[in-house]
Amino acid sequence: MTSLVSVCLVVVISVAVSECLEWNNNFHYVQNFHCPSDLSFISHFESEFNDWYDDRRFRFACKNVPALSGSVNCRWSGYLNNLHRPVDYICPNQGYINGMYSNYYSWFYDRTFKFRCCSPPAGLKLQNCYWTSYLNNPMGYINYKIPDGYVIRGVNSNFQDYYDDRKIKFQICQSV
């Protein structure tokens, strides 16, 4: 009986922690987020679509990059897409994604995106990189936790005209 109570308590606590995280943006507003430490990466990516607004809102969590210490260089990319066009981006210099910025354009029901990449001066040692499958169907909910020992290195997103929404997938790599 004690183990059942422990399991239930862990489930309740993990649900409560997830529920306490604030959304990073409201629908139709700028979304601007980066991890509080340059030595951390976006480790949890959550997003929901609202059909009334034809837009997404986002929330994130961060973790320290495995096997990384010392100084890193961080930079924002420029805008990576035109409206209704794909995003296809991989951080340069063996970097990892530390932040995301997007603007919403109501006339087009779409967003333009920038990403903040960080890397040590000599680059990060990454291996076993692969692209996830798309994390959502159009208008679908995304709740993706990056596997332990991995970081997000790239993003691919395609606009779906019929739904006025984007499908999103990540390139993730093991940090050693």
Side-chain angles (χ1 to χ4, degrees):
M1 185 65 169
T2 304
S3 65
L4 179 60
V5 170
S6 299
V7 168
C8 291
L9 184 58
V10 167
V11 169
V12 168
I13 289 171
S14 66
V15 168
V17 167
S18 177
E19 300 275 329
C20 291
L21 294 174
E22 294 291 324
W23 290 105
N24 182 251
N25 64 301
N26 292 320
F27 298 108
H28 289 192
Y29 286 88
V30 165
Q31 175 277 311
N32 184 7
F33 175 84
H34 68 85
C35 295
S37 167
D38 290 348
L39 298 174
S40 59
F41 70 102
I42 294 175
S43 62
H44 186 182
F45 181 91
E46 195 169 355
S47 180
E48 73 175 3
F49 183 84
N50 183 292
D51 195 31
W52 174 260
Y53 292 104
D54 280 328
D55 190 22
R56 287 191 164 273
R57 63 183 181 173
F58 302 89
R59 72 175 142 206
F60 309 92
C62 298
K63 280 186 183 177
N64 286 338
V65 175
L68 180 64
S69 62
S71 67
V72 295
N73 299 317
C74 298
R75 297 214 167 130
W76 284 99
S77 69
Y79 283 105
L80 297 168
N81 66 301
N82 292 320
L83 297 166
H84 291 206
R85 303 303 302 156
V87 172
D88 194 14
Y89 182 69
I90 294 176
C91 286
N93 304 319
Q94 296 287 92
Y96 52 90
I97 292 182
N98 172 275
M100 184 174 108
Y101 181 95
S102 66
N103 275 321
Y104 182 78
Y105 296 87
S106 58
W107 185 259
F108 296 94
Y109 305 113
D110 194 16
R111 289 180 170 272
T112 54
F113 292 88
K114 296 180 184 183
F115 291 93
R116 186 173 192 253
C117 292
C118 298
S119 64
L124 191 62
K125 186 171 180 189
L126 300 174
Q127 64 184 22
N128 300 321
C129 297
Y130 66 92
W131 285 97
T132 64
S133 57
Y134 282 105
L135 302 174
N136 63 307
N137 291 318
M139 302 169 67
Y141 187 77
I142 302 170
N143 186 9
Y144 183 68
K145 292 180 183 176
I146 287 66
D148 286 341
Y150 283 76
V151 297
I152 300 175
R153 182 171 180 222
V155 178
N156 178 278
S157 174
N158 287 297
F159 189 79
Q160 308 291 298
D161 286 314
Y162 181 79
Y163 301 101
D164 290 328
D165 191 23
R166 291 183 165 273
K167 291 181 6 177
I168 299 168
K169 65 181 177 178
F170 295 126
Q171 184 186 66
I172 63 172
C173 299
Q174 192 173 24
S175 171
V176 292

